[in-house]
Amino acid sequence: MKLYREEQFGPIIPVATFEDIETPLDYVITSDHGQQVSIFGSDPEQIASLVDTLVNQVCRVNINCQCQRGPDVFPFVGRKDSAEGTLSVHDALRAFSIRTMVAAKQTEASKKLLDAIVLGNKSSFINTHFIL
């Protein structure tokens, strides 16, 4: 059915059964779209394996929750033919900037210095306000 291959924005969605996990993964991999996917489960190994596969196909993986627009602090992005290149201003600046790494020797003095910078919010760059 055509609805099965169209990008979904609701309120109607296709539902399909499958015998093994490779079937829906193949669907996502061969799809022209890549905004979001939701996975539901409680097995850490299975969820981690699915996340590792799906992060290369979609821009948002929802764990145990439905696909959704917000919150608005998250960018609205997509892969493939889905809103490709759409970013928040902050994310666009990060994406199109040359990446820089800060390195230090693994010593107690370095740890204390970096802790002071991070815990004191002394640097906009050296912080823990994002997850890589």
Side-chain angles (χ1 to χ4, degrees), residues 90 94 102 117-118 120-130:
H90 177 267
R94 284 188 69 105
V102 175
I117 292 170
V118 171
N121 290 318
K122 304 291 184 189
S123 170
S124 298
F125 188 84
I126 302 172
N127 63 62
T128 57
H129 301 297
F130 57 90

Side-chain angles (χ1 to χ4, degrees), residues 43-80:
D43 180 344
E45 286 186 34
Q46 187 177 43
I47 296 294
S49 176
L50 289 170
V51 166
D52 288 351
T53 300
L54 293 168
V55 295
N56 294 308
Q57 300 299 320
V58 298
C59 283
R60 179 172 169 166
V61 177
N62 300 287
I63 300 174
N64 292 328
C65 62
Q66 76 277 11
C67 293
Q68 54 195 315
R69 186 182 141 262
D72 288 337
V73 295
F74 293 157
F76 185 77
V77 298
R79 290 188 190 270
K80 306 177 187 181

